[in-house]
Structures are given as C-alpha cells and as structure tokens.
Amino acid sequence: MQLQSMYQEIILDHYRNPHGRGLREPFEAEVHHVNPTCGDEVTLRVHLDGDTIADVSYEGMGCSISQASVSAMYDLVIGKSVPEALETGEHFMTLMQSKGDASVAEKLEEELEDAVAFAGVSKYPARIKCALMSWMALKDASARALSVAHPAAPTGGQQA
Ligand code: ZN
C-alpha cells in the first residue's frame, strides 16, 4: 500500500472510531478550543495523577483531521508526564512545519506513532490548524491542571 493512502486510512480510522472520546471525571482542568477557519471545536479535560497524565477526555466536532488528531493524541499522551507529553506535542509541531518533507516524518515515526499519519497535512497550510487544535488544547488544559495540583501556597496558611 502507498504510504499516503496508508496515512489516510489511519486518519479515517481514528475519525470513525475515536479513542478515549467522551467527557469523564475526575478532571482538574477543562478547556474549549476552536479553529474558526474550519469550524472545528474541542472540549478537553485533563486528569493528572501527580505530574502524570492519567486521563484526557474530550468531545468535539469538525473536520476529520481535527477529530482524528485528538484521538491519535489521546493514545500518545496517556501515562506520560506533562513535560513528556508537551515534548511530544513539540515534535508534532515540527511535523506540521515539515511542508511534506518525508525525511522529517521518518525521523519522528517512532515518537509520534499514528500521529505521524498527519505528515501529509503539513503540505496544506489551511489544514495545519485543524491538526494542531487538539495539541493546543492539551497544552492549555495541562498547564491549568498543574496549577491546580501545585497551588502557589502549598503550606495552606493563606488559602483563599
Ligand atoms: Zn478542520
């Protein structure tokens, strides 16, 4: 099978059978992100166990790229620490900036697993935001979740 059509199959598979979809409890932070240029939306919750991402739950609507991206991201970040997950997000960003350069995708294949299938999207600037929306939402939600898990005054003396 051609690489390009294999990538398309992976994306469609995540779109039709999204992994981890649905909003669950408990969670420390919930965010809502939109990609107005395409009409994509996602509501995403993060649940941390210490600094580890124990769950990412979500609901969304929009194009197949945006929705499949959340599903592929879900598989990648569960069980990782927040810094590890954000580093994976940086690698995904690198892939989105690769303008279809196959050598970039090849290098990131092991790290990004199914998310490497979005390599083809990097050739279409208008669609990059569709693929990145989920990762932006994760970054936002995990930063908020961390600030809940590690409040500024941990001694408890001055809590509001
Ligand atoms: Zn879209």
Side-chain angles (χ1 to χ4, degrees):
M1 199 188 281
Q2 291 290 311
L3 191 61
Q4 210 56 4
S5 61
M6 194 180 84
Y7 281 171
Q8 250 162 24
E9 272 305 306
I10 293 172
I11 291 174
L12 280 176
D13 202 49
H14 276 283
Y15 179 59
R16 292 186 189 122
N17 304 297
H19 302 179
R21 190 182 170 98
L23 292 171
R24 292 178 291 276
E25 303 206 10
F27 63 97
E28 287 74 43
E30 179 182 293
V31 299
H32 182 69
H33 278 225
V34 297
N35 171 27
T37 56
C38 181
D40 308 317
E41 293 187 31
V42 68
T43 301
L44 184 141
R45 293 175 174 177
V46 165
H47 171 45
L48 298 179
D49 178 6
D51 286 348
T52 301
I53 297 179
D55 194 20
V56 172
S57 65
Y58 62 92
E59 278 294 347
M61 50 188 254
C63 69
S64 56
I65 291 169
S66 68
Q67 301 308 307
S69 176
V70 197
S71 173
M73 182 185 78
Y74 170 86
D75 288 348
L76 277 172
V77 301
I78 301 298
K80 280 187 177 163
S81 70
V82 170
E84 282 167 349
L86 295 185
E87 199 184 324
T88 302
E90 291 300 317
H91 288 139
F92 190 74
M93 177 74 90
T94 302
L95 184 73
M96 286 303 103
Q97 291 165 343
S98 68
K99 298 187 171 74
D101 182 343
S103 70
V104 176
E106 207 171 296
K107 252 181 274 171
L108 294 172
E109 198 172 7
E110 206 170 311
E111 165 90 24
L112 291 179
E113 300 176 22
D114 279 3
V116 85
F118 294 85
V121 175
S122 67
K123 283 184 283 191
Y124 306 97
R127 309 311 300 278
I128 292 174
K129 280 183 185 165
C130 302
L132 282 177
M133 178 180 69
S134 54
W135 290 94
M136 299 297 182
L138 177 75
K139 196 173 180 177
D140 187 7
S142 52
R144 291 181 198 209
L146 276 180
S147 72
V148 172
H150 303 287
T155 53
Q158 292 290 321
Q159 277 173 0

